[in-house]
Short mmCIF file of all heavy atoms in Angstrom, two decimals:
data_model
loop_
_atom_site.label_atom_id
_atom_site.label_comp_id
_atom_site.label_asym_id
_atom_site.label_seq_id
_atom_site.Cartn_x
_atom_site.Cartn_y
_atom_site.Cartn_z
N GLU C 15 75.35 123.77 -66.83
CA GLU C 15 74.38 124.63 -67.55
C GLU C 15 72.97 124.26 -67.09
O GLU C 15 72.61 123.09 -67.11
CB GLU C 15 74.50 124.40 -69.06
CG GLU C 15 73.51 125.21 -69.86
CD GLU C 15 73.64 124.87 -71.34
OE1 GLU C 15 74.60 125.30 -71.97
OE2 GLU C 15 72.74 124.13 -71.83
N GLU C 17 68.97 124.89 -67.60
CA GLU C 17 67.93 125.43 -68.51
C GLU C 17 66.57 125.02 -67.98
O GLU C 17 66.36 123.86 -67.61
CB GLU C 17 68.14 124.87 -69.92
CG GLU C 17 67.09 125.33 -70.91
CD GLU C 17 67.37 124.75 -72.28
OE1 GLU C 17 68.49 124.91 -72.80
OE2 GLU C 17 66.43 124.10 -72.82
N SER C 19 62.50 124.74 -68.75
CA SER C 19 61.38 124.84 -69.70
C SER C 19 60.08 124.74 -68.91
O SER C 19 59.90 123.81 -68.12
CB SER C 19 61.45 123.71 -70.72
OG SER C 19 62.62 123.86 -71.51
N ALA C 29 32.04 126.04 -67.43
CA ALA C 29 31.20 126.65 -66.39
C ALA C 29 29.81 126.86 -66.95
O ALA C 29 29.65 127.46 -68.02
CB ALA C 29 31.79 127.96 -65.92
N ILE C 30 28.83 126.35 -66.25
CA ILE C 30 27.42 126.53 -66.63
C ILE C 30 26.71 127.22 -65.47
O ILE C 30 26.81 126.79 -64.32
CB ILE C 30 26.75 125.18 -66.94
CG1 ILE C 30 27.33 124.58 -68.22
CG2 ILE C 30 25.23 125.34 -67.07
CD1 ILE C 30 26.83 123.17 -68.51
N LYS C 32 22.96 129.44 -64.41
CA LYS C 32 21.65 129.99 -64.78
C LYS C 32 21.74 131.50 -64.64
O LYS C 32 22.22 132.00 -63.62
CB LYS C 32 20.58 129.40 -63.86
CG LYS C 32 19.17 129.76 -64.20
CD LYS C 32 18.19 128.96 -63.34
CE LYS C 32 18.42 129.19 -61.87
NZ LYS C 32 17.57 128.36 -61.01
N GLU C 37 10.55 130.77 -62.88
CA GLU C 37 10.37 129.35 -62.55
C GLU C 37 9.07 129.05 -61.84
O GLU C 37 8.80 127.88 -61.55
CB GLU C 37 11.56 128.87 -61.71
CG GLU C 37 12.89 129.00 -62.45
CD GLU C 37 14.08 128.53 -61.63
OE1 GLU C 37 13.98 127.46 -61.02
OE2 GLU C 37 15.10 129.25 -61.60
N ILE C 41 -1.63 127.86 -63.32
CA ILE C 41 -2.37 127.21 -64.40
C ILE C 41 -3.83 127.61 -64.31
O ILE C 41 -4.43 127.54 -63.23
CB ILE C 41 -2.24 125.68 -64.30
CG1 ILE C 41 -0.78 125.25 -64.37
CG2 ILE C 41 -3.05 125.00 -65.41
CD1 ILE C 41 -0.56 123.77 -64.08
N SER C 170 -6.69 117.68 -68.06
CA SER C 170 -8.10 117.38 -67.88
C SER C 170 -8.51 117.88 -66.51
O SER C 170 -7.91 117.51 -65.50
CB SER C 170 -8.35 115.88 -67.99
OG SER C 170 -9.62 115.56 -67.46
N GLN C 173 -9.22 115.00 -64.29
CA GLN C 173 -8.14 114.07 -63.98
C GLN C 173 -7.02 114.70 -63.17
O GLN C 173 -6.35 114.01 -62.39
CB GLN C 173 -7.53 113.51 -65.28
CG GLN C 173 -8.50 112.73 -66.15
CD GLN C 173 -8.65 111.29 -65.71
OE1 GLN C 173 -7.90 110.82 -64.85
NE2 GLN C 173 -9.62 110.59 -66.26
N ALA C 176 -6.08 119.81 -58.22
CA ALA C 176 -5.53 121.13 -57.88
C ALA C 176 -4.27 120.96 -57.05
O ALA C 176 -4.09 119.96 -56.36
CB ALA C 176 -6.57 121.93 -57.10
N GLY C 177 -3.38 121.95 -57.14
CA GLY C 177 -2.16 121.91 -56.35
C GLY C 177 -0.95 122.30 -57.17
O GLY C 177 -1.07 122.80 -58.29
N TYR C 179 2.37 121.72 -59.39
CA TYR C 179 2.92 120.79 -60.39
C TYR C 179 4.38 121.20 -60.64
O TYR C 179 4.67 122.39 -60.77
CB TYR C 179 2.11 120.86 -61.69
CG TYR C 179 0.80 120.12 -61.59
CD1 TYR C 179 -0.25 120.61 -60.82
CD2 TYR C 179 0.62 118.90 -62.24
CE1 TYR C 179 -1.45 119.91 -60.70
CE2 TYR C 179 -0.58 118.20 -62.13
CZ TYR C 179 -1.60 118.71 -61.36
OH TYR C 179 -2.78 118.02 -61.24
N ALA C 181 8.47 120.33 -62.37
CA ALA C 181 9.45 119.63 -63.21
C ALA C 181 10.81 120.30 -62.98
O ALA C 181 10.87 121.51 -62.77
CB ALA C 181 9.08 119.71 -64.68
N VAL C 183 14.73 120.86 -64.40
CA VAL C 183 15.58 120.81 -65.59
C VAL C 183 17.00 121.16 -65.18
O VAL C 183 17.22 122.15 -64.46
CB VAL C 183 15.08 121.80 -66.66
CG1 VAL C 183 16.08 121.92 -67.79
CG2 VAL C 183 13.71 121.37 -67.17
N ALA C 187 27.43 119.67 -67.99
CA ALA C 187 28.54 119.27 -68.86
C ALA C 187 29.20 118.06 -68.21
O ALA C 187 29.66 118.15 -67.07
CB ALA C 187 29.53 120.41 -69.01
N SER C 189 32.16 115.26 -68.37
CA SER C 189 33.44 114.93 -69.01
C SER C 189 33.38 113.55 -69.64
O SER C 189 32.83 112.61 -69.07
CB SER C 189 34.56 114.95 -67.96
OG SER C 189 34.74 116.25 -67.47
N MET E 1 75.42 118.89 -68.67
CA MET E 1 74.25 118.29 -68.04
C MET E 1 73.13 119.32 -68.03
O MET E 1 73.34 120.45 -67.67
CB MET E 1 74.57 117.87 -66.61
CG MET E 1 73.41 117.25 -65.90
SD MET E 1 73.83 116.80 -64.23
CE MET E 1 75.04 115.51 -64.52
N PHE E 3 69.29 120.32 -66.72
CA PHE E 3 68.19 120.03 -65.79
C PHE E 3 66.92 120.62 -66.34
O PHE E 3 66.81 121.81 -66.55
CB PHE E 3 68.48 120.63 -64.40
CG PHE E 3 69.69 120.04 -63.75
CD1 PHE E 3 70.94 120.65 -63.86
CD2 PHE E 3 69.57 118.85 -63.03
CE1 PHE E 3 72.04 120.09 -63.27
CE2 PHE E 3 70.70 118.30 -62.43
CZ PHE E 3 71.94 118.92 -62.54
N LYS E 5 63.07 121.22 -65.72
CA LYS E 5 62.06 121.19 -64.67
C LYS E 5 60.66 121.32 -65.27
O LYS E 5 60.41 122.17 -66.11
CB LYS E 5 62.28 122.32 -63.66
CG LYS E 5 63.51 122.13 -62.80
CD LYS E 5 63.60 123.21 -61.76
CE LYS E 5 64.82 122.98 -60.85
NZ LYS E 5 64.93 124.04 -59.84
N VAL E 21 36.12 131.71 -63.74
CA VAL E 21 35.19 131.52 -64.86
C VAL E 21 34.84 130.07 -65.02
O VAL E 21 33.68 129.68 -65.05
CB VAL E 21 35.80 132.06 -66.16
CG1 VAL E 21 34.90 131.75 -67.33
CG2 VAL E 21 36.03 133.55 -66.05
N ALA E 29 35.86 116.60 -64.30
CA ALA E 29 35.25 117.91 -64.23
C ALA E 29 33.89 117.93 -64.88
O ALA E 29 33.63 117.28 -65.88
CB ALA E 29 36.16 118.92 -64.92
N GLN E 30 33.02 118.68 -64.27
CA GLN E 30 31.73 118.96 -64.89
C GLN E 30 31.14 120.17 -64.22
O GLN E 30 31.58 120.60 -63.16
CB GLN E 30 30.77 117.78 -64.80
CG GLN E 30 30.37 117.43 -63.38
CD GLN E 30 29.39 116.26 -63.36
OE1 GLN E 30 29.29 115.53 -64.31
NE2 GLN E 30 28.68 116.13 -62.28
N SER E 31 30.16 120.73 -64.84
CA SER E 31 29.48 121.88 -64.28
C SER E 31 28.01 121.77 -64.63
O SER E 31 27.65 121.21 -65.67
CB SER E 31 30.07 123.18 -64.87
OG SER E 31 29.42 124.31 -64.33
N ASP E 33 23.78 123.54 -63.71
CA ASP E 33 22.87 124.40 -62.96
C ASP E 33 21.44 123.93 -63.26
O ASP E 33 21.21 123.23 -64.25
CB ASP E 33 23.05 125.87 -63.33
CG ASP E 33 22.67 126.79 -62.18
OD1 ASP E 33 21.98 126.31 -61.24
OD2 ASP E 33 23.04 127.97 -62.21
N THR E 34 20.53 124.30 -62.39
CA THR E 34 19.20 123.70 -62.41
C THR E 34 18.10 124.75 -62.36
O THR E 34 18.24 125.77 -61.67
CB THR E 34 19.04 122.74 -61.22
OG1 THR E 34 19.99 121.68 -61.35
CG2 THR E 34 17.64 122.14 -61.16
N ALA E 35 17.02 124.51 -63.06
CA ALA E 35 15.79 125.31 -62.95
C ALA E 35 14.68 124.38 -62.44
O ALA E 35 14.45 123.32 -63.03
CB ALA E 35 15.41 125.91 -64.29
N VAL E 36 14.07 124.77 -61.37
CA VAL E 36 12.94 123.99 -60.82
C VAL E 36 11.65 124.76 -61.13
O VAL E 36 11.36 125.79 -60.54
CB VAL E 36 13.08 123.79 -59.30
CG1 VAL E 36 11.90 122.98 -58.77
CG2 VAL E 36 14.39 123.09 -58.98
N TYR E 37 10.91 124.24 -62.09
CA TYR E 37 9.68 124.91 -62.51
C TYR E 37 8.51 124.43 -61.65
O TYR E 37 8.30 123.22 -61.48
CB TYR E 37 9.37 124.58 -63.97
CG TYR E 37 10.36 125.13 -64.97
CD1 TYR E 37 11.05 124.28 -65.82
CD2 TYR E 37 10.58 126.49 -65.09
CE1 TYR E 37 11.93 124.76 -66.76
CE2 TYR E 37 11.47 127.00 -66.02
CZ TYR E 37 12.14 126.13 -66.86
OH TYR E 37 13.01 126.63 -67.78
N THR E 38 7.74 125.37 -61.15
CA THR E 38 6.57 125.02 -60.34
C THR E 38 5.36 125.82 -60.81
O THR E 38 5.42 127.06 -60.90
CB THR E 38 6.82 125.30 -58.86
OG1 THR E 38 8.00 124.61 -58.44
CG2 THR E 38 5.64 124.83 -58.01
N LEU E 39 4.30 125.12 -61.10
CA LEU E 39 3.04 125.76 -61.52
C LEU E 39 1.95 125.41 -60.51
O LEU E 39 1.85 124.26 -60.08
CB LEU E 39 2.62 125.26 -62.90
CG LEU E 39 3.49 125.69 -64.08
CD1 LEU E 39 3.14 124.88 -65.32
CD2 LEU E 39 3.32 127.18 -64.35
N ASN E 40 1.15 126.39 -60.18
CA ASN E 40 0.05 126.13 -59.24
C ASN E 40 -1.27 126.04 -60.00
O ASN E 40 -1.67 126.98 -60.68
CB ASN E 40 -0.04 127.23 -58.18
CG ASN E 40 -1.12 126.93 -57.18
OD1 ASN E 40 -1.08 125.89 -56.52
ND2 ASN E 40 -2.11 127.79 -57.06
N LEU E 41 -1.90 124.89 -59.85
CA LEU E 41 -3.23 124.70 -60.45
C LEU E 41 -4.27 125.03 -59.39
O LEU E 41 -4.38 124.33 -58.37
CB LEU E 41 -3.39 123.26 -60.94
CG LEU E 41 -4.73 122.87 -61.53
CD1 LEU E 41 -5.09 123.74 -62.72
CD2 LEU E 41 -4.74 121.40 -61.93
N ASN E 82 -11.78 119.89 -59.37
CA ASN E 82 -10.41 119.35 -59.41
C ASN E 82 -9.84 119.21 -58.01
O ASN E 82 -8.63 119.03 -57.85
CB ASN E 82 -9.50 120.23 -60.29
CG ASN E 82 -9.26 121.60 -59.70
OD1 ASN E 82 -9.77 121.94 -58.64
ND2 ASN E 82 -8.48 122.41 -60.40
N ASP E 160 -15.89 111.76 -65.89
CA ASP E 160 -14.43 111.83 -65.97
C ASP E 160 -13.88 111.79 -64.55
O ASP E 160 -14.59 112.10 -63.59
CB ASP E 160 -13.98 113.12 -66.68
CG ASP E 160 -12.52 113.10 -67.07
OD1 ASP E 160 -11.92 112.00 -67.04
OD2 ASP E 160 -11.97 114.15 -67.43
#
Side-chain angles (χ1 to χ4, degrees):
Chain C
E15 178 183 285
E17 178 179 306
S19 295
I30 292 174
K32 186 172 58 184
E37 299 180 45
I41 301 172
S170 164
Q173 299 277 351
Y179 283 71
V183 171
S189 295
Chain E
M1 180 181 294
F3 297 95
K5 290 185 178 179
V21 175
Q30 64 179 19
S31 180
D33 208 343
T34 297
V36 180
Y37 293 121
T38 304
L39 291 168
N40 183 59
L41 177 59
N82 67 0
D160 193 14

